[in-house]
Amino acid sequence: MTAITDTQPDEGFRLSQLIYDTRYRSLTIQIIALILVLSGLGWLIRNAVRNLEAAGQDFNFGFLSNTSGYDIGQHLIEYSSQSTHLDATIVGLLNTLLVAVLGCIACTIIGVFMGVLRLSPNWIVRNIARVYVEVFRNVPTLLWIILVFAVLTESTPAPRAFRGEDPAASMLFFDSVAITNRGIYVPAITFEEGTATILTIVFLLSLVAIWGVRRWAKARQAATGETFPVLWTGLALFFVPVLLVNFILGGAMGLERPELAGFNFSGGVQLRSTFIALWLALSLYTGAFVAENVRAGILAVSKGQTEAAASLGLRPNRIMNLVVLPQALRVIVPPMISNYLNLTKNSSLAIAIGYQDLVGTLGNITRNQTGREMETVLLLMLIYVTISLTISFFGNLYNRSVTLKER
């Protein structure tokens, strides 16, 4: 059989061209594949709706406005058992985002540090980093989460150990921090009425100023070669403006220390053991993968670059910061985005230790109470897809900013 090609004279369109003409064959196959996929989805949805009707249920999200009736230990916004399932979902989502953001920051710091150590000329340092990478990345995440949680709860004292004239445990940092098997209690920042907004605005302006100074210092160094003390300037901008405004306002900002009251501490901020265990386990586990990405990125930079920088008199740490890492970022960033996505999705394992994230609230308690398996699971999938696409979007934006631009 001979295929009709675009070299034949135009004799009008015929249906046989959809299969035998190379100009239309690819489009025909794609349309058929799309029809088959949509048909399959339609069949599944129709069967699901019929089965729900047979079970006396319909498909709607009205249950989100019903009273949840359960408490959540850690909530970043106002929440009680009288709140709705939608509020519980938002609290779980915020708990997931908190672990994801802090985990991405921590795994990046750990991974960069251990990745550089993997290339150390010192045999002991290099192999310690290697053992860390091999041990953590070859054990399932869930086991690390359970192990870290067990270590935290078994190796720290109970609140009752802080009671009495001769307590078995004592608070740290001038009696302001308590480490217990229920979590870490730290002082909370308090504001006088009407001053929180002013101090928050000053703090945000300080962050903008730090960002501006960093950009200015980078441009100045590129133009003149002169460095600027960005670290000390940033620390000064971080603390001084807020403290100065606080002094002008007459000490509107204060600290509320945790105190032992009854069987537990009250006041301050409690970092629960479940949250700390999940954050540490995910950071250490993902940091092992990041370390390998960093090592691969550094090895991708030609040794000639390092030798040329050394011949100019730059110290090893300056060579790493100014020459090697900026070039290695082009190799490191794309797999780093995948690591961040994996960390965010792995946070759903929090249910194993009782941390109430999105899966623990919407996917567990709300689903069991309302019997809305289809709706809750679809909602969970939609939220996780949205989070992942958002991370990918910003990761790709940063990747474009560090790619080599041809002139």
Side-chain angles (χ1 to χ4, degrees):
M1 183 181 296
T2 303
I4 299 174
T5 64
D6 54 1
T7 58
Q8 291 182 332
D10 187 9
E11 299 177 352
F13 180 78
R14 301 185 303 278
L15 287 178
S16 60
Q17 287 181 275
L18 295 175
I19 298 176
Y20 299 112
D21 194 325
T22 55
R23 294 175 296 176
Y24 305 112
R25 184 185 300 159
S26 174
L27 181 62
T28 303
I29 294 174
Q30 292 179 51
I31 292 175
I32 293 174
L34 180 62
I35 292 174
L36 291 176
V37 170
L38 292 178
S39 301
L41 287 175
W43 180 79
L44 288 174
I45 293 173
R46 187 183 63 178
N47 279 356
V49 171
R50 286 183 176 178
N51 290 334
L52 286 174
E53 289 176 352
Q57 296 182 357
D58 55 354
F59 184 82
N60 68 72
F61 293 91
F63 68 93
L64 290 173
S65 60
N66 297 336
T67 302
S68 64
Y70 62 90
D71 292 317
I72 299 177
Q74 175 180 304
H75 47 88
L76 301 179
I77 59 175
E78 287 296 326
Y79 176 82
S80 70
S81 59
Q82 299 304 311
S83 302
T84 63
H85 284 295
L86 178 61
D87 295 328
T89 301
I90 295 173
V91 170
L93 174 61
L94 292 176
N95 288 344
T96 294
L97 293 177
L98 179 65
V99 169
V101 171
L102 295 181
C104 289
I105 295 173
C107 79
T108 302
I109 296 172
I110 295 171
V112 171
F113 182 69
M114 300 305 288
V116 172
L117 293 187
R118 283 276 280 135
L119 299 172
S120 170
N122 187 300
W123 186 87
I124 296 177
V125 172
R126 183 173 67 251
N127 281 283
I128 288 176
R130 182 176 184 178
V131 168
Y132 158 75
V133 170
E134 297 300 335
V135 169
F136 271 90
R137 74 173 180 175
N138 289 307
V139 175
T141 320
L142 179 60
L143 297 182
W144 283 119
I145 294 173
I146 295 174
L147 177 63
V148 174
F149 179 68
V151 169
L152 286 177
T153 53
E154 297 296 332
S155 62
T156 50
R160 65 173 179 272
F162 293 82
R163 188 184 300 128
E165 296 181 356
D166 186 19
S170 57
M171 299 178 68
L172 306 175
F173 303 110
F174 306 102
D175 292 337
S176 60
V177 177
I179 301 176
T180 74
N181 58 0
R182 297 182 183 179
I184 299 176
Y185 296 84
V186 298
I189 299 176
T190 59
F191 301 95
E192 290 186 2
E193 188 174 358
T195 60
T197 304
I198 299 173
L199 290 169
T200 302
I201 292 173
V202 172
F203 178 70
L204 293 176
L205 290 176
S206 297
L207 295 181
V208 174
I210 293 172
W211 175 75
V213 168
R214 287 182 62 86
R215 286 184 62 87
W216 170 80
K218 187 176 180 180
R220 178 174 178 264
Q221 183 175 357
T224 65
E226 297 179 2
T227 58
F228 186 79
V230 176
L231 176 61
W232 296 112
T233 306
L235 287 174
L237 288 172
F238 190 84
F239 290 106
V240 173
V242 173
L243 294 177
L244 184 61
V245 174
N246 180 55
F247 176 76
I248 295 173
L249 293 175
M253 189 169 57
L255 291 177
E256 181 190 35
R257 295 186 178 187
E259 295 181 354
L260 186 61
F263 297 99
N264 203 354
F265 283 90
S266 64
V269 175
Q270 180 188 9
L271 305 176
R272 294 177 177 272
S273 298
T274 51
F275 165 72
I276 298 173
L278 181 66
W279 173 52
L280 283 179
L282 291 178
S283 301
L284 291 170
Y285 176 80
T286 311
F289 293 90
V290 174
E292 285 301 273
N293 295 335
V294 171
R295 185 176 70 91
I298 293 175
L299 289 176
V301 179
S302 170
K303 287 186 178 180
Q305 300 279 336
T306 305
E307 294 170 354
S311 66
L312 295 175
L314 291 177
R315 296 175 182 176
N317 61 333
R318 302 291 292 176
I319 295 174
M320 181 60 69
N321 292 331
L322 300 177
V323 178
V324 177
L325 281 181
Q327 297 184 76
L329 279 176
R330 300 180 187 116
V331 179
I332 295 172
V333 171
M336 287 279 280
I337 299 172
S338 297
N339 288 325
Y340 292 156
L341 295 176
N342 288 334
L343 186 146
T344 304
K345 290 181 287 187
N346 285 338
S347 68
S348 61
L349 297 172
I351 195 172
I353 56 175
Y355 180 74
Q356 290 175 306
D357 67 334
L358 187 61
V359 175
T361 54
L362 177 64
N364 186 29
I365 303 177
T366 294
R367 179 176 59 85
N368 290 332
Q369 283 190 358
T370 61
R372 297 284 182 176
E373 295 86 0
M374 184 76 71
E375 292 90 338
T376 53
V377 171
L378 289 177
L379 199 54
L380 280 172
M381 293 172 66
L382 178 63
I383 293 173
Y384 273 106
V385 167
T386 304
I387 295 173
S388 297
L389 291 178
T390 304
I391 294 174
S392 297
F393 174 75
F394 286 106
N396 290 327
L397 278 183
Y398 180 74
N399 189 36
R400 286 198 198 99
S401 70
V402 298
T403 52
L404 190 62
K405 297 177 179 60
E406 297 182 0
R407 298 179 179 176

